[in-house]
Amino acid sequence: MGKDKLRLLHILPVTAEGIMSAEAEEDMRRYLAEGTEVVHRQVTGGAETIQCEYDTALSAPHAAELAAEECAAGEIDGVFIDCFADPGVRAARERLELPVMGGFEPAIYLGLGLGDNLGIITIRRNIVPLIRGGIARAGVGGRIACVRTLDMSVLELREREKLMERLHRECLEAIEADGAEVLILGCTAAVGVGGELARLLRADGHDVPVLEAAQCALALTELYARMGLYQSRVTYMAPPGK
């Protein structure tokens, strides 16, 4: 039986300051149980923000090592590395005997239960090949209607009016031109906008779910931890001794 009160580790795998506001934190943990505690940590090395494969490679070792350090005392029940590009997630899974999630898989898994065709809306074209790689690895290519971009940087996502205008436009195109039936916001920094976006789309005649990646990831991390589950040791073998 799982634990009643859980302690989850939330890792920001980028060095940019002020990227996690109090409002973003509240939105991210909106669906957690009342007794669940979230411990926030940020890497001190790597990329300022993650917007391409190179940034991911710079940040991954810092995120994986921070996860290992923070979990060493045995007081953490699950880890969420806060990025849709999943920097260091697979490495951390090898080190830790507790659930480790990034931003990509939880949103995809939850979306697949809500509709046949998923549309992913991400930040820039630079991140699309990385997302395509994640889609191929997950084996869900036949269920992805499109990957669209906002042509915005991670830091620009704090400009809410601009963000909402571009999200609304690209989501409409994903539905009407590409056949998307569920929408996934493919950047964990896009927070606090899913509900409003869904309302705008319903006003346009499209009643489709809109999933925020960070909410999905933290909620699924909590569920796995409560169930006492962590990654397969066949897939994620512990690192061998040197």
Side-chain angles (χ1 to χ4, degrees):
M1 182 178 293
K3 295 169 63 174
D4 291 331
K5 292 190 181 252
L6 299 173
R7 198 162 190 253
L8 306 181
L9 174 64
H10 166 247
I11 292 178
L12 274 174
V14 296
T15 62
E17 296 181 0
I19 202 168
M20 175 60 67
S21 66
E23 292 79 11
E25 179 184 334
E26 181 181 357
D27 183 75
M28 180 180 64
R29 54 170 297 130
R30 183 181 302 275
Y31 302 110
L32 299 184
E34 186 175 344
T36 297
E37 178 186 359
V38 180
V39 179
H40 302 281
R41 298 289 184 268
Q42 185 168 8
V43 298
T44 57
E48 181 183 24
T49 60
I50 294 177
Q51 302 184 102
C52 62
E53 194 78 62
Y54 183 72
D55 292 340
T56 305
L58 289 179
S59 294
H62 297 277
E65 192 58 29
L66 181 57
E69 291 173 359
E70 292 291 330
C71 294
E75 298 175 351
I76 298 296
D77 300 298
V79 176
F80 166 40
I81 298 178
D82 189 351
C83 181
F84 204 72
D86 291 354
V89 169
R90 295 179 70 86
R93 285 174 175 171
E94 292 184 346
R95 287 285 300 273
L96 302 173
E97 291 189 358
L98 47 83
V100 179
M101 302 302 295
F104 175 80
E105 292 170 318
I108 296 294
Y109 298 158
L110 293 176
L112 290 172
L114 298 173
D116 289 337
N117 298 307
L118 311 185
I120 301 173
I121 314 298
T122 191
I123 48 173
R124 285 180 162 170
R125 291 176 60 191
N126 307 66
I127 206 80
V128 172
L130 199 153
I131 291 176
R132 291 290 185 195
I135 291 168
R137 187 167 55 247
V140 296
R143 302 281 296 277
I144 306 300
C146 60
V147 181
R148 288 185 162 271
T149 61
L150 301 173
D151 193 24
M152 295 177 70
S153 70
V154 171
L155 298 180
E156 282 180 299
L157 298 184
R158 293 180 287 195
E159 301 175 30
R160 187 180 177 89
E161 184 176 345
K162 179 179 179 180
L163 172 61
M164 288 304 303
E165 185 274 327
R166 296 197 182 186
L167 273 174
H168 188 202
R169 180 190 67 202
E170 294 302 326
C171 285
L172 280 175
E173 285 294 307
I175 295 167
E176 296 174 353
D178 303 323
E181 299 160 353
V182 177
L183 297 167
I184 293 171
L185 306 188
C187 178
T188 56
V191 295
V193 295
E196 181 181 347
L197 186 57
R199 287 190 293 273
L200 288 172
L201 294 171
R202 280 196 296 272
D204 296 321
H206 302 298
D207 190 0
V208 300
V210 178
L211 301 180
E212 293 186 16
Q215 288 178 343
C216 294
L218 206 55
L220 194 57
T221 303
E222 180 190 46
L223 177 62
Y224 283 168
R226 195 168 302 283
M227 295 176 69
L229 299 173
Y230 61 88
Q231 48 277 356
S232 167
R233 280 295 172 238
V234 177
T235 304
Y236 299 98
M237 303 178 211
K242 299 296 186 289

